[in-house]
Amino acid sequence: MDNGKGKTHIGDFITWAEANGWEIRKKSGAQLHLNSGITSRYKGLPKEYSEFLSVVETCVAPDEQTWFICEADFNHNAEIEFRWNEFEMLSVEAAAGDPAWQSEITAWWDHHLPIVMSVEDGYSFYAIAADSGAIVYGCEPEFEEVEKVADSFGEFLAWMMSNSNR
């Protein structure tokens, strides 16, 4: 039985995702071991998101163009073409030759942890805003110009279930 709000959202989302053709691989144990580079850069991850990462090993949309960034991705143990911070790296590269702009980009990403990536209709992502726990959406060419889609990770999962076209 679950008495935690986050787990209910996570269980509901997993059920919905599996019913809608998402490839969900659950972890065998419910432990989370993020590398220190992630935990030191992004202190105080929302509990619901940490719970999601402790339960879900992979979560990929049916068209394989949208996916959640999971523990193995953050720890560089996944066999994927995109690094978890791919869009940050693209922005920093675009700012080559302008150290102040590069620093501004890095500082922005220091406060926005990407959690979902997509290559459908161009590059886009969802991220957790570290200051509020809100979930924001950004896309190319200006990844750092974002819009809020949910106030929390649990609300984001509910939003995904009701707006399954993204």
Side-chain angles (χ1 to χ4, degrees):
M1 294 283 156
D2 173 42
N3 60 4
K5 178 178 150 188
K7 289 189 182 209
T8 301
H9 283 300
I10 293 165
D12 291 346
F13 176 77
I14 289 171
T15 300
W16 170 86
E18 289 175 334
N20 284 278
W22 284 62
E23 177 190 328
I24 302 272
R25 195 171 329 138
K26 296 178 193 167
K27 294 171 85 174
S28 55
Q31 294 195 356
L32 178 60
H33 300 287
L34 292 175
N35 77 42
S36 61
I38 298 294
T39 57
S40 63
R41 186 176 186 188
Y42 302 101
K43 295 175 177 34
L45 289 177
K47 183 180 179 194
E48 289 174 309
Y49 183 60
S50 295
E51 289 174 356
F52 179 86
L53 290 179
S54 70
V55 172
V56 177
E57 187 173 320
T58 59
C59 183
V60 181
D63 63 6
E64 298 182 358
Q65 294 186 19
T66 302
W67 62 95
F68 278 78
I69 302 169
C70 293
E71 179 181 352
D73 305 310
F74 287 121
N75 293 340
H76 309 289
N77 295 333
E79 294 181 20
I80 57 171
E81 292 181 37
F82 286 86
R83 298 167 288 187
W84 69 269
N85 61 344
E86 188 74 29
F87 301 149
E88 175 186 2
M89 296 294 97
L90 289 172
S91 290
V92 168
E93 185 179 305
D98 187 339
W101 187 18
Q102 288 180 319
S103 184
E104 188 179 305
I105 290 166
T106 300
W108 187 89
W109 284 100
D110 284 346
H111 298 285
H112 295 86
L113 174 66
I115 59 171
V116 174
M117 296 177 85
S118 181
V119 296
E120 180 181 3
D121 298 326
Y123 293 161
S124 64
F125 68 94
Y126 295 94
I128 296 172
D131 61 342
S132 65
I135 308 302
V136 297
Y137 169 79
C139 61
E140 64 179 333
E142 298 294 332
F143 292 117
E144 294 78 24
E145 293 179 10
V146 297
E147 64 184 63
K148 183 169 92 169
V149 297
D151 288 326
S152 67
F153 184 70
E155 277 187 24
F156 173 66
L157 294 180
W159 178 84
M160 290 225 16
M161 290 185 285
S162 64
N163 294 285
S164 57
N165 60 336
R166 278 208 187 188

